[in-house]
Amino acid sequence: MGGKSTSNKPADQVAELREHAERTREALGETMQELSDKLDVQGRAQEGVRLGVEKVHQAGELAADKAHQATEQVTRMAHEATAQVRDAATRTFEQAEQKIDDLPEPVREPARQTVAVVRQRPALVFLTLAGLVVLWRLLSRRQRD
């Protein structure tokens, strides 16, 4: 039974060489793909543009979210301020109406009419008073100069 002990050796070597060649072929293919990707200037530029557009889109969404939150906060604050002004105006009108009774008789009716007008058109009265204050400041500056 002295058989062939060396007959497997060349087959093993051939298998090893084929396996080594296959690994080398795969590595070479990967290297070629990497080089091809690096040399693909147009593809890289398009990818860069796509990433840039994506970042701009994300920044726009973030800015829109922040603007929406700020708008909601300002709206809440405006509602609160409006309620406070309305409450203060109501208290002021009530106090004014109580003090009207302390005025001399000839002045009571015109005072009641004035309070009624202010209650009906508070914005108009406020703007008129603001205009008068501005006019007064302008005139007082002119006198100083």
Side-chain angles (χ1 to χ4, degrees), residues 16-31:
E16 279 182 41
L17 288 173
R18 283 187 179 159
E19 195 175 306
H20 179 69
E22 183 62 33
R23 285 192 309 263
T24 303
R25 209 176 286 124
E26 287 176 10
L28 183 59
E30 289 174 10
T31 302

Side-chain angles (χ1 to χ4, degrees), residues 3-21:
K4 304 177 186 174
S5 62
T6 58
S7 67
N8 251 353
K9 238 180 180 184
D12 288 343
Q13 287 178 344
V14 168
E16 279 182 41
L17 288 173
R18 283 187 179 159
E19 195 175 306
H20 179 69

Side-chain angles (χ1 to χ4, degrees), residues 68-117:
H68 181 70
Q69 290 172 357
T71 301
E72 285 180 346
Q73 184 178 4
V74 167
T75 301
R76 259 193 321 276
M77 291 169 65
H79 286 302
E80 290 172 7
T82 301
Q84 289 174 352
V85 168
R86 188 178 301 121
D87 291 345
T90 300
R91 284 191 306 273
T92 303
F93 285 132
E94 289 170 356
Q95 290 171 354
E97 287 170 345
Q98 289 172 357
K99 297 206 182 239
I100 287 175
D101 293 335
D102 296 340
L103 295 174
E105 185 61 39
V107 180
R108 283 185 199 159
E109 191 53 36
R112 283 193 179 101
Q113 290 173 354
T114 302
V115 169
V117 168

Side-chain angles (χ1 to χ4, degrees), residues 49-66:
V49 167
R50 185 189 68 76
L51 291 174
V53 167
E54 189 175 304
K55 284 183 181 180
V56 167
H57 183 70
Q58 289 173 349
E61 286 180 347
L62 181 62
D65 286 345
K66 286 185 177 183

Side-chain angles (χ1 to χ4, degrees), residues 134-144:
V134 169
L135 180 64
W136 175 72
R137 290 187 133 211
L138 288 173
L139 290 175
S140 66
R141 280 187 187 170
R142 272 190 160 180
Q143 290 176 354
R144 278 189 245 147

